[in-house]
Amino acid sequence: YPERDIALLQVSYRSMLRVLEISKLTLEDVLAIDGTLQQTITLRKVGTKNHKGGKAFFSHPDLRSAVSTYVQIRSNISTSSRELFISQKGTPFSSNSMSRLFTTLYQRANAYGCTSHTGRRSGASNLMKSGANIYQIKSILRHENIQTTARYIEEDEETLAQLIRNV
């Protein structure tokens, strides 16, 4: 399922969802009534950390393309599952089985040490590099505490050097 796997990686990195949230997404969550992919996804409380719900943004063109392609292919699979992402058997993923799938995908790409949270953390760091402030990133990640968000941000030498050049 290469199209599924690409869509999974895009959702993890571009929307910065947790693996639990990705595993609980349904077709109804992401598709508008006319069958098009929504830009803003309402996360149901049942599929989020601490059952708080929230919003996710499916606005990046690469994410939209990958998920749309996968949804078209998924529509040809015989399954009664309404979850967006399904296994090769047509069954929904648990968060644990999806987490293992992420690890496998990263290992196939020779990215050892990556986890299901890698896309979320990398997305947050890249948002900071692109000019987002920590409060915006906190909102996107749906963190309660700004210190949690700060732990996600990875600074690299090039970014720090650029800051000094701009003083």
Side-chain angles (χ1 to χ4, degrees), residues 33-49:
I33 293 171
D34 65 1
T36 59
L37 193 62
Q38 297 188 75
Q39 295 259 352
T40 303
I41 308 299
T42 299
L43 300 171
R44 292 170 290 113
K45 290 180 180 183
V46 69
T48 56
K49 186 176 181 179

Side-chain angles (χ1 to χ4, degrees), residues 55-99:
K55 299 286 183 188
F57 303 98
F58 277 34
S59 51
H60 193 281
D62 292 345
L63 179 151
R64 295 183 65 74
S65 176
V67 173
S68 294
T69 298
Y70 168 66
V71 166
Q72 287 177 345
I73 290 168
R74 190 200 180 289
S75 68
N76 296 323
I77 299 169
S78 177
T79 180
S80 61
S81 176
R82 299 307 298 157
E83 279 77 12
L84 174 61
F85 293 107
I86 55 174
S87 71
Q88 292 178 354
K89 296 177 184 176
T91 58
F93 285 96
S94 68
S95 58
N96 285 337
S97 61
M98 184 170 282
S99 182

Side-chain angles (χ1 to χ4, degrees), residues 13-14 16 118-132 137 152-156 159:
Y13 175 70
R14 302 284 185 196
M16 289 160 265
T118 297
R120 184 171 164 85
R121 288 180 175 274
S122 296
S125 289
N126 285 329
L127 276 176
M128 180 66 84
K129 288 177 190 174
S130 71
I137 298 168
Y152 276 58
I153 308 303
E154 296 176 11
E155 294 296 339
D156 59 54
T159 302

Side-chain angles (χ1 to χ4, degrees), residues 98-167:
M98 184 170 282
S99 182
R100 286 190 302 276
L101 175 60
F102 272 106
T103 300
T104 299
L105 294 175
Y106 286 124
Q107 287 174 349
R108 285 183 190 158
N110 292 320
Y112 296 95
C114 294
T115 70
S116 60
H117 230 54
T118 297
R120 184 171 164 85
R121 288 180 175 274
S122 296
S125 289
N126 285 329
L127 276 176
M128 180 66 84
K129 288 177 190 174
S130 71
N133 67 51
I134 196 162
Y135 296 99
Q136 292 167 320
I137 298 168
K138 175 185 174 284
S139 293
I140 290 169
L141 296 175
R142 295 169 321 284
H143 285 155
E144 291 184 15
N145 188 311
I146 198 80
Q147 282 77 26
T148 304
T149 306
R151 289 194 307 262
Y152 276 58
I153 308 303
E154 296 176 11
E155 294 296 339
D156 59 54
E157 288 182 16
E158 178 57 34
T159 302
L160 298 173
Q162 183 64 41
L163 287 171
I164 297 301
R165 280 193 290 272
N166 292 335
V167 173

Side-chain angles (χ1 to χ4, degrees), residues 4-30:
R4 179 205 59 202
D5 297 344
I6 291 167
L8 276 170
L9 291 168
Q10 285 290 329
V11 170
S12 174
Y13 175 70
R14 302 284 185 196
S15 70
M16 289 160 265
L17 291 177
R18 297 173 179 96
V19 71
L20 167 67
E21 296 161 344
I22 298 170
S23 70
K24 297 296 183 186
L25 286 174
T26 66
L27 292 168
E28 292 76 16
D29 292 334
V30 301

